[in-house]
DNA sequence: ATGAAACGGAGTATAATCCTCCGTTTACTG
DNA sequence: CAGTAAACGGAGGATTATACTCCGTTTCAT
C-alpha cells in the first residue's frame, strides 16, 4: 500500500530491478527539481548510478518515466497529507505539517512535469489531491487559522515554491534545511496562528 | 547614473545598439531565472527578438554576457535598496520594500550565475550588496522588527527563493503577482511587525 | 545624402543526446 | 548449490541541438 506506484497485476519485479526502479525515480525527481525541465536520459541514469539500458527497460519512453514519477510523488504526498489531517490537533497544524512533508516528498515536480505530459493519466489522483487541499483549507479556516482571502491555491503554490531547489550549489541537506526554515516563516505569516 | 552597467569611457553606442543590448540582458535574465542555468545563445537571441550575431557582437563569449547581467542586476537592485533604506519609515518597511524590489529587478540571477563565473569581477558591488543587507538587517533589528535569529542571510536567501519563477507555464504578470503575494506572507512571518 | 556601424538569415563544425546490440552479472527456483 | 531466466552495463552509431561565422541588407548619425 505504501509501495508507491506499483501496478498490482504485473509479474513481480526482481529485487535489484525494484531497487533500480526506485533509484531512477529519485534521480528524475531530483533533476527535474534542480533544472526545472525534462532531464536527459543519460543524466538520469548517471544520477541513479545505473546504466542507460536499465532506464530504457523500466521506462521505454520519456512519457512513461514522467508519468511514473508523478504517480509516485503524488501518492506519497497524499499519504502524508491524510496523516497530517488525521493526526494534527488543529487545522493550522495540519496545513503546516502537510506543506513540510511536501518539501520532503518533492511535490514540486508534479507541477513542473504536468505540462510535459500529453495525457492526464491520473484523474483520480488529481481529484484526490484537490480534495485533500480543500479539506486542509476547510480545517484551517474552521479553526480560524486562515482568513477568507487564503485558499487551496495558496497551499498548492506554496508547495511548488518551497520544493524547488535554490540552484546555488548547496548540498541537499542545507537545501532542505533552508526550505523548511523559509516555509516556517511563510506559514507564520499565512496562518495567523495563536495570535 | 541610472543607466545600468555602462562602462563610461567607451565609444558611445548607437541608439539601436543600446536598445538591443538592453533586450539581450533582459532575455538572459529571464531565461536564467526560468531554467536555472546557462541559457543557449540561440535561445537568448530569439527571446530578445534579435539575431544571433548581435548577441556575439555585444558579448563575444558567455562570460562577458553573464558578467554584464550580474552587474546590471546588482546595480539596479542596490539602487532600489538604498532608496528603500533612505525613504522608509521603519527598518521593517525598508526590508519589505527592498525584497519586493529585488523580485522586480530579478536579483535571483546573481546567485544562480555566480557559480558559472570563473572570476569575481565585481568585488566592489559584492561588498556594496553585503553592506546594504547588513544595514537593512541592522535597521530592522533596531526597530524591533526582527529577532536575533534573523540575519542578512535570510534576506539574501529570500530574494533568491521569491525571484525564481515557478516554471508551471504562467505568464509573467501572474508569476510576479504570486511572487509578491507569497513574499508578503513570508515577511508577515519574518518581521514580527507591529504585533 | 553618404559613410560607417549595426543588423539578421543562412550555413558549417562541434558537441550533446537518444537509442540499441551483446557479452556479463545477479537474483530467484528446485 | 547448481541452472536458468531475468536484469544489468559499456560501447557505439544515428539523430538532434548548440556554437559560431560569412556576407548582403538595413539603420543610424552627420
Amino acid at each position: 500500500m505504501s509501495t508507491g506506484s506499483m501496478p498490482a497485476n504485473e509479474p513481480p519485479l526482481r529485487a535489484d530491478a525494484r531497487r533500480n526502479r526506485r533509484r531512477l525515480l529519485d534521480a528524475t525527481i531530483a533533476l527535474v527539481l534542480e533544472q526545472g525541465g525534462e532531464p536527459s536520459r543519460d543524466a538520469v541514469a548517471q544520477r541513479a548510478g545505473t546504466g542507460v539500458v536499465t532506464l530504457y527497460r523500466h521506462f521505454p519512453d520519456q512519457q512513461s518515466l514522467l508519468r511514473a514519477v508523478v504517480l509516485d510523488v503524488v501518492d506519497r504526498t497524499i499519504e502524508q497529507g491524510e496523516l497530517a489531517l488525521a493526526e494534527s490537533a488543529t487545522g493550522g497544524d495540519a496545513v503546516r505539517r502537510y506543506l513540510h512533508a511536501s518539501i520532503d516528498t518533492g511535490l514540486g515536480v508534479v507541477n513542473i512535469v504536468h505540462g510535459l505530459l500529453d495525457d492526464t493519466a491520473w484523474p483520480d489522483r488529481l481529484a484526490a489531491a484537490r480534495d485533500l487541499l480543500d479539506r486542509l483549507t476547510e480545517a484551517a479556516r474552521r479553526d480560524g487559522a486562515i482568513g477568507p482571502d487564503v485558499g487551496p491555491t495558496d497551499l498548492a503554490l506554496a508547495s511548488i515554491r518551497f520544493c524547488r531547489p535554490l540552484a546555488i550549489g548547496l548540498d541537499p541537506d542545507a537545501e532542505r534545511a533552508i526550505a523548511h526554515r523559509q516555509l516556517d516563516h511563510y506559514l507564520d505569516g499565512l496562518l495567523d496562528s495563536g495570535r
Side-chain angles (χ1 to χ4, degrees), chain A:
Chain A
M1 239 146 267
S2 64
T3 56
S5 55
M6 279 305 305
N9 45 2
E10 300 256 338
L13 285 173
R14 233 170 64 176
D16 51 349
R18 184 180 294 274
R19 192 169 50 237
N20 279 330
R21 186 188 142 91
R22 182 72 258 158
R23 283 180 184 159
L24 287 167
L25 289 177
D26 288 339
T28 308
I29 293 170
L31 287 173
V32 167
L33 283 177
E34 284 168 17
Q35 309 176 1
E38 254 171 316
S40 81
R41 318 284 254 190
D42 291 4
V44 170
Q46 187 178 349
R47 176 72 159 248
T50 164
V52 198
V53 190
T54 303
L55 171 57
Y56 280 91
R57 186 170 299 112
H58 282 284
F59 308 102
D61 53 20
Q62 193 83 314
Q63 287 287 315
S64 69
L65 172 60
L66 297 180
R67 245 194 302 272
V69 163
V70 168
L71 282 180
D72 178 65
V73 170
V74 167
D75 281 354
R76 285 189 292 121
T77 308
I78 289 182
E79 190 181 350
Q80 291 294 315
E82 294 295 348
L83 274 176
L85 207 42
E87 296 178 357
S88 298
T90 72
D93 285 351
V95 166
R96 193 175 284 269
R97 177 167 159 186
Y98 165 75
L99 284 179
H100 277 285
S102 77
I103 289 178
D104 295 330
T105 57
L107 183 62
V109 293
V110 177
N111 306 85
I112 296 171
V113 162
H114 185 268
L116 304 174
L117 291 168
D118 23 76
D119 54 355
T120 306
W122 21 269
D124 50 335
R125 325 280 174 127
L126 196 72
R130 264 191 222 291
D131 184 54
L132 175 62
L133 285 179
D134 285 344
R135 280 181 291 140
L136 282 165
T137 309
E138 168 71 18
R141 187 165 293 152
R142 189 162 39 222
D143 292 358
I146 58 175
D149 57 319
V150 175
T153 305
D154 287 300
L155 305 188
L157 291 174
S159 72
I160 302 171
R161 173 76 65 192
F162 293 100
C163 276
R164 299 208 64 188
L166 296 173
I168 53 176
L170 269 50
D171 66 288
D173 284 345
E175 188 76 61
R176 272 195 337 135
I178 290 170
H180 283 293
R181 176 177 167 85
Q182 290 184 325
L183 174 59
D184 260 329
H185 284 139
Y186 174 80
L187 288 171
D188 286 348
L190 191 75
L191 317 168
D192 332 305
S193 53
R195 303 174 270 197

